[in-house]
Amino acid sequence: MRARSALFDVYGGHLRERGGAATIAALVRLLEPLDFAAPAVRTAVSRTVRQGWLQPVRLSDGPGYALTPRAERRLDEAAARIYRTRPSTWDGRWHVVVLEEVPARDAREHLSSSLQLLGYGALGPVTWVAPRPSRELTDVLATANVVARTFHGTHEGDDADLAARAWDLAALGRDYAQFTAEHEAAVSAVDGSSPPEAFAASQRLLHEWRKFLFRDPGLPRELLPPDWPGLAAAEFFDRHTARLAPAVDKFVDDCLDKHVRGESTG
């Protein structure tokens, strides 16, 4: 786990619902259980500001950093897929993106990564599909300086076959099963009696789970293979996230509250 990724997870998982801003001292305290020293946190914050995800703000307890609107959109989109808060509304139509031309190699790789993160799968060099449109698509295409046609359409054939072509569901299913097997013992051993330990375990689990966003578009169940391992993996993630949540929330609130008290009495 890199400091920048940990920073995103903290903002998306905890600070977004607490106003989306924190002082640098609070961020240092929050990332300490993940073994990040203060210089690494400050460097990650500076880099994230340069990339347009955070912006300096003045908070009641001192200078801090808040999410930009672009970051809020990205984190909200990710959260809806991580925690599956968005109900399945698939009506049998695909959202189709057709690029007007193939970008240069470096730009193409970056665009492909961005589209995959938004839940799109490639059917060819210029054609991408998703089970639902992404609010970020316009920004991603503009940033890549790419022109594309987008529309909704139905597939004249088996939709499950189309999904299997756009995404490697067999490999994804194996990786979901491996995720559960690899993390079962470690996360189960944390009982929540130590809030910092619970926070670290929960964040590491979230970090590994978040990697699936690049590969899993959140397909409706009717398009998934039978006995889909992703369902058991999601249940595992939800169960342990909920189990550790009281201790994790205590740690986060304590970090923020301690910083406020420290500023007011220092």
Side-chain angles (χ1 to χ4, degrees):
M1 186 188 302
R2 296 183 179 181
R4 180 179 173 277
S5 295
L7 189 67
F8 261 102
D9 288 342
V10 166
Y11 268 95
H14 305 288
L15 299 181
R16 178 76 174 102
E17 63 187 26
R18 291 172 170 85
T23 63
I24 191 69
L27 293 173
V28 169
R29 290 181 62 83
L30 284 165
L31 295 186
E32 185 177 5
L34 297 170
D35 299 323
F36 292 111
V41 177
R42 292 190 179 95
T43 298
V45 169
S46 297
R47 184 173 302 162
T48 308
V49 169
R50 290 197 302 270
Q51 294 172 339
W53 301 108
L54 292 178
Q55 57 189 347
V57 293
R58 183 73 185 182
L59 303 174
S60 60
D61 49 329
Y65 294 89
L67 294 166
T68 63
R70 174 189 176 208
E72 290 178 346
R73 289 193 298 271
R74 171 62 60 87
L75 290 175
D76 289 349
E77 179 81 12
R81 292 168 60 196
I82 289 172
Y83 302 104
R84 293 163 304 286
T85 58
R86 178 172 47 202
S88 177
T89 56
W90 195 62
D91 60 0
R93 298 185 303 161
W94 296 93
H95 191 240
V96 185
V97 178
V98 181
L99 308 181
E100 290 201 352
E101 60 182 23
V102 180
R105 180 176 178 179
D106 290 345
R108 182 169 68 249
E109 292 178 354
H110 181 74
L111 177 61
S112 295
S113 177
S114 297
L115 289 174
Q116 288 167 7
L117 179 59
L118 299 186
Y120 290 86
L123 291 179
V126 298
T127 306
W128 295 74
V129 296
R132 65 191 64 83
S134 169
R135 292 185 301 166
E136 285 193 76
L137 179 63
T138 300
D139 290 343
V140 165
L141 295 175
T143 300
N145 196 26
V146 170
V147 177
R149 304 294 180 182
T150 64
F151 55 91
H152 283 93
T154 56
H155 175 232
E156 294 184 0
D158 190 316
D159 286 304
D161 288 344
L162 181 69
R165 177 181 172 187
W167 296 275
D168 190 345
L169 297 180
L172 183 59
R174 291 192 296 269
D175 289 344
Y176 270 129
Q178 185 177 358
F179 166 83
T180 304
E182 285 185 353
H183 295 283
E184 178 85 51
V187 73
S188 297
V190 180
D191 61 8
S193 59
S194 168
E197 182 182 10
F199 176 81
S202 180
Q203 290 304 108
R204 291 190 176 105
L205 185 68
L206 172 61
H207 176 72
E208 294 302 320
W209 182 251
R210 188 166 59 87
K211 294 178 181 178
F212 286 107
L213 290 183
F214 287 92
R215 303 173 55 199
D216 188 341
L219 293 168
R221 290 196 179 195
E222 57 264 37
L223 301 185
L224 295 171
D227 301 320
W228 176 238
L231 299 178
E235 190 279 330
F236 169 80
F237 172 77
D238 289 346
R239 174 162 44 89
H240 286 289
T241 297
R243 181 177 64 84
L244 296 174
V248 170
D249 287 341
K250 182 181 185 306
F251 173 76
V252 174
D253 291 337
D254 193 42
C255 282
L256 299 175
D257 291 344
K258 278 186 177 180
H259 178 63
V260 172
R261 291 199 298 270
E263 284 292 306
S264 62
T265 60

